[in-house]
Amino acid sequence: MRYVVLLLGLLSLAPLPASAQDRARIEAQFQNWLSQTVWPRAKAKGVSRGTFNAAFNGVRLNWDLPDLVPPGSRTTTPKRQRQAEFGAPAKYFNRGSVNGATATGRKLARQYANTLARVERATGVPGHIILAIWGRESGYGRVAIPHNAFEVLGTKGFMSTRAEYFTDELIAALQIAQAGHAPSGAMKSSWAGALGQPQFMPSSFLKYAADGNGDGRADIWRSEADTLASIGNYLARHGWVKGRDWGFEVRVPPSVSCTLEGPDQGRRITQWAAMGITRVNGKAFPSHEARGEGFLLMPAGRNGPAFIVTPNFYVLKDYNMSDLYALFVGHVGDRIAYGMGDFEGRWGNVGRMYRSDIAAMQRGLQAMGHDVGGADGLPGFKTRRSIGRWQEARGGRATCFPEPGMKAVLGR
């Protein structure tokens, strides 16, 4: 499944083979790869010839997918930045998305109350958190999932920048079909190969998909009960701590540096409170939470809301490796269950930089010895606090977020 990131810079790449002759030749190579490479591996995993043939009946290469590297080519298709979490925080938390997910979630909380209660008893994961993930992943099952999973995974397994990974996922998808979980013609996926309403990659399906209605299948395409049970099982298996919240919006005084952010700098919540961090609603931290470990989260540095989060926040992040994703899920879940309002903190205007500019800053910080988590253009917590430490070392106030003016100094 799936770091706060700003706008992606334009890529200049050579085009893929365009002639019909080139594509026909590569298509023949693809069909040979299916029979000579994929079929033996699938057969070894118990996939029947009938299942295999049905899966690939009429399947051809999809040249519209991103990150393709055709045989004999050194060029790739552009990396399409389709995931919304790779954008400005304010846009991610736009009122329409938050209010829509909340309103629908409240209705479905009533409609599926018994199912959600059953899943919560089995997994310890609150129903409102499961609902919020369902809403974020597929609009509560209302967003069309348009692609043939075997076409997507076959294409990317044959000629993508991560061919080995997608070939493994293709074999897993065939195992799912063999087991009869997906109804005929319903093995639908996203452009990246994520399946069904919870958007599980096939390997995750094999590990975490659950039968929520007792019919012996885990139909995450058509069954709401199976979808909810599968999401709950995923979070439970990733370490959700029963009885703990995901986190709390807080006020961080100037005396507390934003460089203290990160899952590797945890301390008891009572210690954070002793440093002057308070909840925005004026209430004390719940006693059972105060004794537990908490972590400072400032996804836009000093330019946005701040939070003390629990280990459960990072379980949500396991579902999709984005601070904003996990924060959205927790926030919408709270709104569904408790009628919470908007964050008190406001997102600053931090979304007008190219990813390539941030990568240049990261390389500059790396040259100074900072651990930024990789020069990938993604301002995750390691990059944010490295910027803050650099600012403090220069005698300035730490803001812990990339700014356009920094490129002239860090990006040289």
Side-chain angles (χ1 to χ4, degrees):
M1 264 79 39
R2 315 189 227 204
Y3 302 101
V4 182
V5 183
L6 303 182
L7 297 177
L8 180 63
L10 296 175
L11 295 175
S12 177
L13 295 169
L16 289 170
S19 73
Q21 185 176 8
D22 283 340
R23 293 198 175 188
R25 173 177 54 81
I26 294 172
E27 183 71 46
Q29 293 176 359
F30 171 61
Q31 297 298 330
N32 184 65
W33 174 77
L34 288 176
S35 63
Q36 299 300 315
T37 300
V38 177
W39 164 240
R41 287 189 56 183
K43 182 179 179 181
K45 290 290 186 178
V47 176
S48 71
R49 189 75 207 196
T51 297
F52 184 87
N53 289 343
F56 292 105
N57 182 34
V59 167
R60 298 175 60 84
L61 291 170
N62 184 338
W63 292 88
D64 293 328
L65 297 175
D67 307 331
L68 303 183
V69 186
S73 172
R74 294 184 180 180
T75 62
T76 64
T77 55
K79 294 184 177 181
R80 301 176 188 175
Q81 199 61 32
R82 300 190 183 188
Q83 288 176 287
E85 53 268 22
F86 298 142
K91 183 177 180 180
Y92 196 92
F93 286 88
N94 71 81
R95 186 168 297 280
S97 294
V98 172
N99 288 351
T102 300
T104 303
R106 287 173 179 165
K107 293 178 183 177
L108 296 180
R110 296 188 292 270
Q111 182 177 346
Y112 295 105
N114 291 336
T115 299
L116 290 166
R118 185 167 63 249
V119 175
E120 184 168 353
R121 287 193 298 270
T123 65
V125 182
H128 59 274
I129 293 294
I130 295 172
L131 281 171
I133 288 182
W134 186 24
R136 191 61 189 171
E137 291 297 332
S138 63
Y140 301 102
R142 301 175 183 186
V143 173
I145 303 170
H147 295 285
N148 180 321
F150 296 108
E151 177 186 273
V152 168
L153 295 170
T155 299
K156 296 177 82 68
F158 176 64
M159 58 173 191
S160 80
T161 55
R162 301 175 64 197
E164 183 177 352
Y165 166 77
F166 283 107
T167 301
D168 290 343
E169 294 295 339
L170 176 60
I171 301 302
L174 288 164
Q175 292 177 261
I176 294 168
Q178 180 65 38
H181 293 295
S184 177
M187 184 71 93
K188 296 294 185 180
S189 78
S190 71
W191 65 270
L195 304 175
Q197 297 184 45
Q199 287 291 274
F200 281 178
M201 291 304 290
S203 59
S204 289
F205 180 104
L206 293 178
K207 294 176 184 176
Y208 309 115
D211 174 12
N213 58 13
D215 68 354
R217 296 187 301 164
D219 182 355
I220 61 173
W221 294 268
R222 300 191 303 184
S223 169
E224 289 80 8
D226 291 359
T227 293
L228 298 174
S230 296
I231 294 171
N233 186 49
Y234 183 100
L235 296 177
R237 296 274 299 276
H238 279 79
W240 184 272
V241 181
K242 183 179 180 180
R244 293 207 69 180
D245 208 321
W246 67 267
F248 310 88
E249 188 183 1
V250 297
R251 298 190 185 101
V252 180
S255 58
V256 178
S257 175
C258 52
T259 63
L260 295 177
E261 181 187 6
D264 54 351
Q265 298 192 102
R267 58 189 72 195
R268 288 186 183 276
I269 292 180
T270 52
Q271 293 176 292
W272 291 115
M275 296 168 68
I277 292 178
T278 59
R279 295 177 66 184
V280 295
N281 62 11
K283 297 180 181 179
F285 292 101
S287 58
H288 72 283
E289 295 283 7
R291 295 188 297 269
E293 189 174 27
F295 312 88
L296 181 62
L297 173 73
M298 301 180 74
R302 288 284 181 181
N303 304 301
F307 308 86
I308 293 295
V309 298
T310 77
N312 282 343
F313 176 85
Y314 293 102
V315 175
L316 296 178
K317 195 172 172 180
D318 280 336
Y319 206 99
N320 180 318
M321 289 302 294
S322 161
D323 287 330
L324 293 185
Y325 175 92
L327 192 56
F328 186 96
V329 166
H331 180 53
V332 169
D334 284 350
R335 293 170 71 103
I336 291 171
Y338 312 122
M340 302 277 283
D342 294 338
F343 294 137
E344 177 187 270
R346 293 292 175 259
W347 301 106
N349 186 16
V350 295
R352 294 184 175 179
M353 294 180 63
Y354 290 124
R355 179 171 170 179
S356 57
D357 291 336
I358 299 172
M361 295 178 196
Q362 290 171 321
R363 289 190 292 270
L365 289 165
Q366 284 179 323
M368 299 177 191
H370 291 278
D371 176 10
V372 298
D376 55 6
L378 313 181
F381 74 91
K382 288 186 177 181
T383 294
R384 297 195 292 265
R385 71 189 186 193
S386 291
I387 288 173
R389 290 167 181 170
W390 170 75
Q391 291 172 313
E392 290 177 345
R394 289 164 55 90
R397 173 178 176 268
T399 61
C400 298
F401 208 78
E403 301 166 8
M406 295 176 184
K407 184 184 176 184
V409 181
L410 289 173
R412 290 182 294 185

